[in-house]
Amino acid sequence: MHTIALVGNPNSGKTTLFNAITGSNQHVGNWPGVTVEKKEGFFTYKDEKYTLVDLPGSYTLGAFSEDEIVARDFVLKGNPDVVINVIDATNIKRNLYLTIQLLEMGANVVLALNMIDEAKSKKINIDIKRLSERLNVPIVETSASKKIGVDELLKVTVESIGRKTKPLEISYGKYIDQEIVNIQKLLENKDFLYPKRWMAIKILENDREIISLVSSDSEIKAYIDKLREEDKIFELDIVDKRYDYINNITRELIKEPENVLTTTDKFDKVLTSYIFGVPIFALIMATVFQLTFKIGQDFLGGYVESFIGYIATLVENLLISINAPELLVSFISEGFFGGVGAVLVFVPLIVVLYFFLAILEDTGYMARAAYVMDSLMRKVGLQGKSFISMIVGFGCNVPGIMSTRTLENKKDRMIAILINPFMSCGARLPVYMVFIGAFFPKNGGIVLFLIYALGITMALIMAKVFSKTLFKGEETHFIMELPPYRLPSMNSVFRDMWEKVWEFLKRAGTVIFLVVTILWVLSMLPAGVEPYSKESLLGRIGSFLAPIFTPAGFGTWQASVSLFAGIAAKEAIVGTLGMLYSPMDLTEALRMNFTTLSAISYMVMVLLYTPCAATIATVKRETNSAKWALFMAIYTFLLGYIMAVLVYQIGSLFI
Amino acid sequence: MLKECLKLISNKTVKSTRDIANRLGIDEKYANELIDKLVQMEYLSRDNGEFSCGGKCFGCNLANCPSNSIITFSLTDKGKKYLKNL
């Protein structure tokens, strides 16, 4: 019984064609020794039965995967009478690479130009007659899914059985051709099942499988070792020549319509433009912050605040009505609702901000953001890929730092880790919002945008400083894949958003609750002292620290304590301020204790100073060094402090 | 084309496959194919931008490690060595 092999690129319609030819007359097994599926079927043509073997889909016949090795071994050693090479006519240049390799092997090939109907509808014009002449193979137009051309293919295949073929000999250039001849001579009279010229080419292509096979011969092995010592690896040149060969053929015989700009291309012309890319990115982010402020704070924030206030009063009244101890009432109303409640008020903001960021991510815009920022990043000694970890850091610095694992270069990674805390995480958002609400209610979006922009700017400046001082080294070379724009999937947007919100809620219920509880206890001690007063333990600690911050304009004990509480978790800053100023409305309290200028310097401090404990622990783990974790904690504190002092002192000259 | 592609990446004059297509005067589909080929031949490595933190990490309450969905291709040691010997 004659055997016909079916080979083709993945998605070329090979399996559809196999099913169209064999129907239900097929069985599935495994190729011996490997986990690659073997599909075999049978068909009858003019009363004669034929075996059809569906070889694994593959782009090349190298030794890069088991699929490729199985496919090429069957073609070379399985002795199929005909090899039907299924080609996707809409992607013919790519598919012909496999064809050329089959022809170099000397296989008896019949080309099934599949999906021809689609190619025609895409106005791809193929001169089939001349292509058949140039390749010296029969070509049949098919559309396997519509069963068009299948009978003709079988007719031509059967007629091709016994057709005399000669392996295709491409010239790879004088030098490589000479090496092919040299190796061919060494292979002569050796007992290998493969064609000698093909083996010689594969050896020069650095094909592991063939090299391993011939290495049993000491003479050939010595020759290969000599080539390697002289760095004579020609795989790229050989592949390039094959592509040249294909291009020479297809240039004349295949006419495709001129590239029409897709919607993605049109958007990218503007969004990734050298001149407008960065300003557009800034504008988009400014709009996101403005919308966050308008929807999250002005619109939804009020409802949540009223709701939490309502629940707080209800619980407090309930506790009083059941004669609960005064301390418990104080803890619940001032500690819990004043502290944790002050943080929960910002849930709508988190929801809105991460909703918009998830949309930007899902549409494919964030890849463009990394693209447009790349030039800027390279100027400061970083690679654009580092911007990705910075974007992740906007959610939380812990995964932001973890994501630097994708940077191969140690220098890039260390810098990316050390600058990540300047990416303002979601936990710092409530701090900005409460101050913006108190001092900049009409320009919230712009102020928020400026804070984030300052964070990015400081990150870039410090990256430059680090790359010039602590981490000098070679740069990584890379390119990005820009995915097509797509409409955001609401499932994915809501899932991303929910993860951030859930993180925020969990931290409010755990870390923040714990910090607020400890601070509440400290503010009640020693016994008999007026709660939340300067004389309490907390007040004394704060008063001791406060002078440090006087040059920055916020030398109050409450501000000092809140900053140190923020090292446990940034949301704790608002929680602490809310508790310490309770029962007074936090916005009012801030207006009484801060000036506009000191509010700005305080926000700058919060943006830049020591990151939270979780982030510091992550730095220790990721760098495997307590020294770097300590360095991170100290340098960010100093930087935040210096910047806050500069803002306040320079600002005082004008305000 | 493959060599030119590698050289462009090494010179840092391109940032995306589209840039490569524009610089080499080929269509983007073909540029993608060249990149795939270089990845297959281990001159470039593909990074899907995913990282695994191996479970819950202290201080991070995210249910899953975030993926940034940005795919990058970097020169491998083999690629760098090849370019050095050119």
Side-chain angles (χ1 to χ4, degrees), chain A residues 34-53:
Chain A
V34 287
T35 52
V36 180
E37 189 181 78
K38 180 180 185 183
K39 279 176 90 177
E40 208 172 56
F42 306 93
F43 67 91
T44 305
Y45 185 81
K46 289 190 176 171
D47 299 329
E48 199 167 341
K49 205 173 173 187
Y50 299 85
T51 304
L52 185 65
V53 180

Side-chain angles (χ1 to χ4, degrees), chain A residues 220-266:
Chain A
I220 302 173
K221 188 176 181 304
Y223 194 82
I224 294 171
D225 289 343
K226 187 174 85 69
L227 286 175
R228 282 184 172 169
E229 274 169 32
E230 293 167 7
D231 271 324
K232 285 180 180 167
I233 297 167
F234 302 108
E235 56 184 330
L236 281 187
D237 306 78
I238 290 172
V239 174
D240 264 345
K241 281 287 178 192
R242 285 199 192 111
Y243 275 118
D244 288 348
Y245 185 83
I246 293 166
N247 285 335
N248 282 337
I249 293 176
T250 54
R251 195 172 297 129
E252 296 167 34
L253 308 182
I254 297 165
K255 300 282 174 236
E256 293 187 51
E258 284 293 307
N259 265 347
V260 182
L261 285 184
T262 61
T263 313
T264 290
D265 294 335
K266 287 174 193 163

Side-chain angles (χ1 to χ4, degrees), chain A residues 352-394:
Chain A
V352 177
L353 177 63
Y354 288 109
F355 174 76
F356 286 121
L357 289 182
I359 285 183
L360 289 180
E361 173 90 39
D362 218 49
T363 51
Y365 180 72
M366 277 309 186
R368 271 76 187 177
Y371 178 92
V372 297
M373 287 299 285
D374 185 70
S375 308
L376 209 56
M377 302 291 283
R378 290 188 191 201
K379 278 184 189 139
V380 299
L382 269 176
Q383 49 158 305
K385 213 169 154 184
S386 308
F387 190 66
I388 296 161
S389 63
M390 291 163 74
I391 291 172
V392 176
F394 281 135

